Amino acid sequence: MGEILVGTCSWTDRALLAGDWYPPDRRDAEGRLRYYAEQFPVVEVDATYYALPSRRNSTLWVERTPAGFRFDVKAFSLLTGHPTRPEALPVALRPALRRRSARAARAARAVTPEQPAAGAVSPPEVDEELLDEVWERFSGALEPLREAGRLGALLFQFPPWFAPGARAERALRRCLARTSGWPVAVEFRHPGWWDGERREATEALLAGLDATAVAVDMIQTLPASVPPVTPVTTGRLAVVRFHGRNAAWGTGSKEERFRHTYTEEELTEWAPRVRHLAERADEVHVLFNNCCADAAVRAAEAMREVLARTPSGASRGP
C-alpha cells in the first residue's frame, strides 16, 4: 500500500488568510508555512501558474518544512497554453509574448470560437524559443525543491479547449519532452480525454510519456464535467484534485466556481477509490481546491478521518 498524503491546493489563498485557521502568532510568511506543514504533509503551489517562481522562495520553502514534506507545483500558464499577461514575464521576454499572443488570437478565431481571444493555441505550436526560455527560468527556480527531495510533481493543467486529437497529442509530447527527467502530473480540463473508448488511449499516452494522470472530483451535471475516473499511469505517484461541486464551475467568479463544503458522504465515496490508487502507486496526493474561506483545509482534515476509517481492499465503488 502506497502512502496517502492529504493537503490543499494553496496555503496562502486570500480567503484562507482572511479567516482564523492560522493562529494569531503564525500569520507572517514563515509562520504560515511552518504551521501548515505541521498540519499536512503536502501542498500545491498555485502562485507559480500566475508568475514565474524564484529560486529564493524555493530555498525558503525547503528551510521552513520538514523532511518528507511535498510541494506539487503548478506549471506557469504560458507552458500550458493559457492566456498570459506580459507583465507576468521578465521584461526581456515580454515583446516575444506580445507577438505570440497576436498570432494566437488569429489562430484561435480560425480554429474554434470556444477558445479565448489570446494565448489560446497549444503552447508548443508557436515561439518555441520563448517557451524554452520560460521553461529554463521556471525549472531553474525550482531546483532547490528538487535537490532537497521536496518536489512531488509539476502539475500541468491543460485548458478546456485543449481537446483530444492528433494536434493536442503533438503539443503534449513536445511539452513533456521539454520536462524530461522531472516528475510531471497532467490534468485535462476537456472531458473528452476520459470519455468512453478514449480513456484507454489517454492512459496509454500518459503512461508512455511517464506522466501521472490527475483524477478530479467536480460537479457532474455540466457539459464540461470531467468524469471521476482514477487512472494510474506511473507507479510512483497518483494525484486527486477536489475542485468542489458548484454548478457555477464554467461561468461564475473564482469564489463561485470553487465554493463548496464537502459532506462526509461525498468524501466517503472517494475513500475506497483513493485506497485503490494507493494499491497501485507508491504515493497518492489528495489535494482540495475548494478554496473559499477555510473550506479546503476543513475538507482535508475530514478526508484524513474518513480514510482512517476505510479499510484497505475496500471496493472502489462506481
Side-chain angles (χ1 to χ4, degrees), residues 145-219:
L145 290 179
R146 191 184 191 188
E147 293 168 356
R150 304 293 173 80
L151 181 65
L154 298 179
L155 171 65
F156 282 76
Q157 176 190 291
F158 289 95
W161 56 88
F162 193 77
R167 182 169 177 265
E169 287 190 23
R170 289 195 301 270
L172 182 63
R173 289 181 186 279
R174 286 199 291 256
C175 179
L176 296 191
R178 182 179 289 110
T179 63
S180 177
W182 289 76
V184 171
V186 172
E187 178 180 344
F188 294 118
R189 284 288 177 89
H190 191 293
W193 291 95
W194 300 114
D195 280 349
E197 298 178 358
R198 176 73 210 192
R199 174 178 171 175
E200 289 187 10
T202 299
E203 286 192 43
L205 173 66
L206 293 179
L209 295 171
D210 194 32
T212 292
V214 176
V216 300
D217 177 82
M218 63 178 296
I219 188 168

Side-chain angles (χ1 to χ4, degrees), residues 45-194:
V45 185
D46 71 336
T48 49
Y49 170 82
Y50 300 98
L52 291 174
S54 71
R55 190 178 181 91
R56 179 178 182 276
N57 276 347
S58 294
T59 301
L60 291 175
W61 294 342
V62 171
E63 294 173 353
R64 294 169 179 176
T65 54
F69 188 87
R70 297 284 188 268
F71 290 89
D72 287 357
V73 180
K74 198 170 182 181
F76 183 58
S77 58
L78 191 66
L79 295 172
T80 50
H82 286 84
T84 302
R85 296 178 299 104
E87 294 75 19
L89 288 177
V91 173
L93 300 182
R94 293 175 188 176
L97 178 60
R98 291 190 179 96
R99 291 194 298 272
R100 176 189 188 278
S101 296
R103 288 197 298 272
R106 291 193 295 270
R109 288 191 291 270
V111 175
T112 169
E114 295 179 359
Q115 294 179 332
V121 295
S122 301
E125 295 290 342
V126 292
D127 290 342
E128 194 75 17
E129 291 184 2
L130 171 61
L131 291 165
D132 286 342
E133 178 65 25
V134 168
W135 165 248
E136 288 299 320
R137 294 181 185 232
F138 180 82
S139 60
L142 299 179
E143 274 296 343
L145 290 179
R146 191 184 191 188
E147 293 168 356
R150 304 293 173 80
L151 181 65
L154 298 179
L155 171 65
F156 282 76
Q157 176 190 291
F158 289 95
W161 56 88
F162 193 77
R167 182 169 177 265
E169 287 190 23
R170 289 195 301 270
L172 182 63
R173 289 181 186 279
R174 286 199 291 256
C175 179
L176 296 191
R178 182 179 289 110
T179 63
S180 177
W182 289 76
V184 171
V186 172
E187 178 180 344
F188 294 118
R189 284 288 177 89
H190 191 293
W193 291 95
W194 300 114

